[in-house]
Amino acid sequence: MASTAQAATGDENDCKKHPGARILHGPHKTIGGVEAWMVWGLCTVFVVWLFSIQTGYAVVSPEIQKTASLTVAQIGLAGSIYTWAFALCQFFSGALLDRFGSRPLLAVAVAFVTAGAFLYAQTDSMATLIAAQIVLAIGSSFGFVGAGYIGGQWFPAARYGLMFGLVQSLASLGSAFGQPAISWQLQHVTWQQLLNGFGAGGVVLIVLFVLLVRNPSTGPAQLAQTTARPSRPPPLVSSILRDLGTCFRNRNVVLSAALAGVSFGSMLAMGVLWGPRIMEARGAGTSLAAVLTAMSWLGLAVGAPLFNLLSDHWNNRRIPAVVGVLLQAAAVALLIYLPKETNSVSVVTIFCVGLFAGAHMLGFTVAGESAPGRILPDSPSLGDYGGALLMMPILLVLGALAGFFIKDTAKARVDA
């Protein structure tokens, strides 16, 4: 918070010297005002953009596989490396935002994703693909959590959940329409040109973030917290380890992480990598497979706010989460094990995978992406996917079981 106060003071001094700079550089005056929506909107665009790159991997990976002469196992391994790197960086991204604020870090994060997109476009070997995935993961780890941080800093606390849900819904909608759009564009441009286009969009975002994104000014409540803290903050790594220890001692945090982790991890596994491959194994062409997989993201766009609304309506957090994850497990199992002749049912099923994944609403994980890449043959059939992805519905059921032991945190409503 001290760094936030210093940044706000520095911005105010700059505005006194250069009054015309207040529009772009001055601290905000009104929580939830025009500037708050502008900053939040820009961060949401960042999330939608990086989600499009992430989910575009589902469409582009077959082309990369041909160009770089890779196997299905190698493509799956690269996707797993991204997720592991993302999960590791996630431990630090939130702590860094708390320490330094959004002003320097989000622009740097956009720069990392931009560099990853350009590196992605140069993929001609497994080593280049892995390097691109790691660079992308570093920048992407600040995306969703950064948008949540902005929502908490620039809007009233009562609207935090709503703002976070809106980010998830918009990102999911972007992925739902982005996958078919990417598939259509690949009919007119090469995958290298497409990824370079994403990189060019990132350059524009970097400029906008540098010009428009500022740390919010320090209000009375933040000033009180700042004066109560030591002037010299503890070392970053030790403070992160201390906070992690605090989290792991909280049973609800651990169990909620398990439930949300397997839910969203399985969603990513289907929406980013394995969904199109399963649909292709069912006989769909590459373009149609991308459109069908996009239905899962459309389902998540509906499910993310829906489960929040149901939870508030029933005044219960645990039961909707557990039921949602169990239904997601059933949908994933049906998608994998339904006979090949039931393709029309699979369209509804993959929508339900995303719809019920809305029960997670928080948490990023490596679940569901590690095992398949090592045990699939070079030309897998639908039956091969059934064996390789068996772990996914099992993990979802285990995550739902963990949810039964969560102490419900919903507060009792007081009727007027």
Side-chain angles (χ1 to χ4, degrees):
M1 293 305 300
S3 61
T4 303
Q6 292 169 1
T9 303
D11 284 344
E12 187 66 28
N13 290 336
D14 289 341
C15 291
K16 290 178 180 178
K17 295 177 183 178
H18 308 284
R22 180 175 293 275
I23 295 175
L24 291 180
H25 304 289
H28 76 275
K29 296 182 179 65
T30 306
I31 292 291
V34 174
E35 187 179 1
W37 282 103
M38 179 184 66
V39 174
W40 178 85
L42 190 57
C43 291
T44 302
V45 170
F46 172 38
V47 175
V48 172
W49 171 69
L50 70 87
F51 257 58
S52 296
I53 297 176
Q54 289 176 343
T55 56
Y57 187 70
V59 183
V60 175
S61 58
E63 301 296 326
I64 295 177
Q65 180 180 339
K66 295 176 185 177
T67 302
S69 300
L70 302 177
T71 65
V72 174
Q74 288 175 312
I75 291 293
L77 177 61
S80 297
I81 289 173
Y82 169 88
T83 311
W84 281 101
F86 182 93
L88 179 62
C89 293
Q90 197 82 73
F91 283 120
F92 296 90
S93 57
L96 287 170
L97 284 167
D98 285 337
R99 178 70 66 88
F100 301 108
S102 56
R103 164 64 177 153
L105 288 177
L106 291 182
V108 174
V110 177
F112 265 96
V113 180
T114 301
F118 282 126
L119 187 59
Y120 209 171
Q122 310 305 314
T123 299
D124 57 2
S125 66
M126 184 65 174
T128 309
L129 180 58
I130 290 175
Q133 297 281 43
I134 292 175
V135 174
L136 279 168
I138 294 172
S140 298
S141 68
F142 288 88
F144 197 62
V145 70
Y149 173 85
I150 290 295
Q153 292 288 311
W154 287 83
F155 291 90
R159 295 169 63 182
Y160 177 77
L162 173 63
M163 303 309 295
F164 221 168
L166 284 175
V167 173
Q168 178 69 83
S169 292
L170 291 172
S172 300
L173 283 173
S175 299
F177 292 104
Q179 281 187 331
I182 290 172
S183 181
W184 175 80
Q185 287 174 331
L186 285 177
Q187 299 175 11
H188 302 86
V189 299
T190 66
W191 65 269
Q192 293 94 336
Q193 291 172 327
L194 178 65
L195 290 172
N196 280 325
F198 275 114
V203 173
V204 176
L205 277 179
I206 293 172
V207 174
L208 292 175
F209 268 77
V210 170
L211 290 177
L212 301 177
V213 175
R214 291 290 181 273
N215 296 323
S217 59
T218 307
Q222 289 81 5
L223 281 174
Q225 292 176 3
T226 300
T227 55
R229 295 179 180 177
S231 58
R232 173 177 287 183
L236 179 64
V237 175
S238 63
S239 65
I240 291 174
L241 293 177
R242 182 193 63 215
D243 291 343
L244 285 175
T246 302
C247 289
F248 287 131
R249 287 193 296 270
N250 186 315
R251 184 187 71 174
N252 256 22
V253 170
V254 175
L255 294 174
S256 297
L259 181 143
V262 295
S263 177
F264 196 70
S266 298
M267 175 63 213
L268 284 177
M270 279 296 176
V272 173
L273 183 60
W274 299 114
R277 299 305 178 94
I278 292 175
M279 290 302 181
E280 288 175 3
R282 289 184 172 279
T286 302
S287 298
L288 180 58
V291 173
L292 294 175
T293 304
M295 292 293 293
S296 64
W297 291 104
L298 189 61
L300 181 58
V302 176
L306 176 62
F307 275 90
N308 269 333
L309 292 173
L310 291 175
S311 176
D312 291 339
H313 178 72
W314 290 327
N315 196 36
N316 190 291
R317 304 284 183 260
R318 181 176 59 186
I319 299 303
V322 170
V323 171
V325 173
L326 286 174
L327 290 173
Q328 183 186 359
V332 170
L334 287 173
L335 185 67
I336 297 172
Y337 297 109
L338 276 175
K340 192 173 181 180
E341 295 75 21
T342 57
N343 284 337
S344 57
V345 179
S346 65
V347 177
V348 178
T349 305
I350 199 165
F351 175 85
C352 290
V353 169
L355 177 68
F356 297 129
H360 82 277
M361 263 317 295
L362 287 174
F364 297 85
T365 189
V366 298
E369 286 191 356
S370 298
R374 291 197 296 269
I375 57 179
L376 280 171
D378 289 340
S379 300
S381 65
L382 183 60
D384 295 320
Y385 286 113
L389 299 177
L390 174 64
M391 183 65 67
M392 201 179 301
I394 292 176
L395 284 174
L396 286 166
V397 171
L398 292 176
L401 290 176
F404 277 112
F405 296 94
I406 295 175
K407 182 180 179 181
D408 202 287
T409 58
K411 297 181 180 179
R413 290 176 295 186
V414 179
D415 295 330

